[in-house]
Amino acid sequence: MRWDDFRRSDNVEDDRDSGGGFSGGGFGIPVGRGGLGIGTIVVLGLIGWAFGIDPGVLIGGAEILSGGGSQFQQSLPQPAPRAGTPKDQTGQFVAAVLGNTEDVWTGIFRASGRQYQAAPLRLYRGGEQGGCGFASAAMGPFYCPRDKRIYLDTSFFRDMQVRFRGCSGKACEFAEAYVIAHEVGHHVQDLLGILPKAQSAQQTAGSKAAANRIQVRVELQADCLAGVWAYHSDQRWKSIEPGDVQAALQTASAIGDDRLQKQSQGYVVPDAFTHGSSEQRQRWFTKGLKEGKISSCDTFAAAQL
């Protein structure tokens, strides 16, 4: 991936040296289970095993992100992270990819008469207090609609290579950029009003399986929007190199619900999917990459995912 010439975003908040967000205040405490399905818990247990962390922490995090009913105590004021462009290589890379997504989505929104509002990206290490409660590195990168921030512990990149084996070598750069672009895709959904509608629909879905099906459409659309970003970035900056797309597809496949379930329990339960199958994730990313249009990513209107 050619990223050296990308504009570095100054919307990066670097909290990696604050001791994991513990200094200067307390943190949110989960006080209840949101009713996660057993299939989801099994999958999260596998991820916990892969990352070497307590699956209970991961399950609590999933409840935060899915709006599954976890309640959090009021936290004390957070210490202010450093704002601007980090100086280390990983921070520079994240800032460059974020800056590139900002430039791409600013252009796409402008073409349709809208204004793009960039999402801050907070780097942290180990754990972090944020708008959706206490974030753990075990949760992986995520977007918090409450404070409209992306949270990223960059150790996920190392785990993606070593434990999930989603990519290898220099091609990992594009796979890592895809991960960031996926979370930016959730922010785009938020700005377009898609995410609030989906969350509202989940709350009235009537069953966990029905809510999961909505969540799958949300996640696949974010994959597709990551493809739209990649299309426009390559059109303008020729940023995609041989092997990049294959690395992104390999990563999407490695974290497909069916693959994780098969590894953890030996069989697949589609009703417990929350992100989509490996094939679905690859196909929707590819669709966005080939067509380069938001309208191509309407997973909610698609009769078949």
Side-chain angles (χ1 to χ4, degrees):
M1 178 182 183
R2 303 177 187 276
W3 60 272
D4 287 343
D5 294 331
F6 290 170
R7 177 186 64 83
R8 269 61 166 176
S9 173
D10 57 5
N11 284 317
V12 177
E13 301 170 344
D14 193 351
D15 207 23
R16 289 173 292 175
D17 294 331
S18 70
F22 290 106
S23 61
F27 51 87
I29 304 173
V31 289
R33 283 282 180 257
L36 288 177
I38 186 65
T40 303
I41 292 174
V42 169
V43 171
L44 291 173
L46 171 67
I47 298 175
W49 169 82
F51 284 142
I53 53 88
D54 178 5
V57 176
L58 196 61
I59 292 167
E63 291 173 342
I64 305 169
L65 303 182
S66 65
S70 289
Q71 301 297 319
F72 284 78
Q73 296 177 1
Q74 181 66 36
S75 61
L76 295 175
Q78 306 169 39
R82 295 193 306 274
T85 303
K87 303 301 182 184
D88 64 296
Q89 183 175 356
T90 299
Q92 287 271 310
F93 172 77
V94 170
V97 173
L98 185 64
N100 184 258
T101 65
E102 291 169 354
D103 292 342
V104 165
W105 285 111
T106 294
I108 293 174
F109 271 54
R110 184 186 297 124
S112 60
R114 293 186 292 254
Q115 183 175 359
Y116 180 70
Q117 298 172 314
L121 187 153
R122 181 168 296 184
L123 295 172
Y124 69 95
R125 180 177 288 113
E128 178 76 2
Q129 175 64 40
C132 288
F134 183 71
S136 166
M139 293 159 59
F142 68 93
Y143 173 71
C144 175
R146 294 181 188 173
D147 64 4
K148 302 189 184 303
R149 275 181 172 79
I150 296 166
Y151 289 81
L152 171 64
D153 185 317
T154 52
S155 65
F156 179 80
F157 292 157
R158 181 183 64 253
D159 291 327
M160 190 171 71
Q161 297 180 41
V162 177
R163 301 197 178 188
F164 277 151
R165 297 180 181 178
C167 62
S168 62
K170 191 175 184 299
C172 279
E173 290 179 349
F174 188 74
E176 292 163 0
Y178 150 71
V179 169
I180 296 172
H182 173 95
E183 301 309 330
V184 172
H186 285 312
H187 179 59
V188 170
Q189 291 174 313
D190 203 3
L191 294 178
L192 295 177
I194 297 171
L195 200 56
K197 290 180 181 178
Q199 291 172 327
S200 177
Q202 283 182 304
Q203 293 171 1
T204 59
S207 70
K208 188 62 180 180
N212 284 347
R213 287 193 288 271
I214 296 170
Q215 187 65 30
V216 167
R217 292 180 185 270
V218 169
E219 296 297 336
L220 293 179
Q221 185 176 61
D223 282 331
C224 184
L225 292 173
V228 171
W229 156 76
Y231 170 89
H232 287 276
S233 177
D234 190 54
Q235 288 288 306
R236 182 172 175 182
W237 290 280
K238 303 300 180 187
S239 55
I240 298 178
E241 297 180 306
D244 283 350
V245 173
Q246 289 82 350
L249 292 177
Q250 184 177 346
T251 298
S253 175
I255 54 179
D257 286 327
D258 55 337
R259 180 168 175 174
L260 292 175
Q261 287 185 356
K262 186 71 172 178
Q263 291 173 341
S264 66
Q265 59 195 23
Y267 56 92
V268 175
V269 183
D271 281 349
F273 285 5
T274 56
H275 285 70
S277 69
S278 295
E279 185 275 332
Q280 287 171 328
R281 300 201 69 171
Q282 292 182 83
R283 178 158 45 82
W284 279 98
F285 172 78
T286 301
K287 184 176 178 64
L289 177 61
K290 287 184 176 180
E291 300 184 22
K293 298 183 294 185
I294 295 178
S295 59
S296 301
C297 297
D298 192 353
T299 55
F300 294 92
Q304 184 176 0
L305 293 176

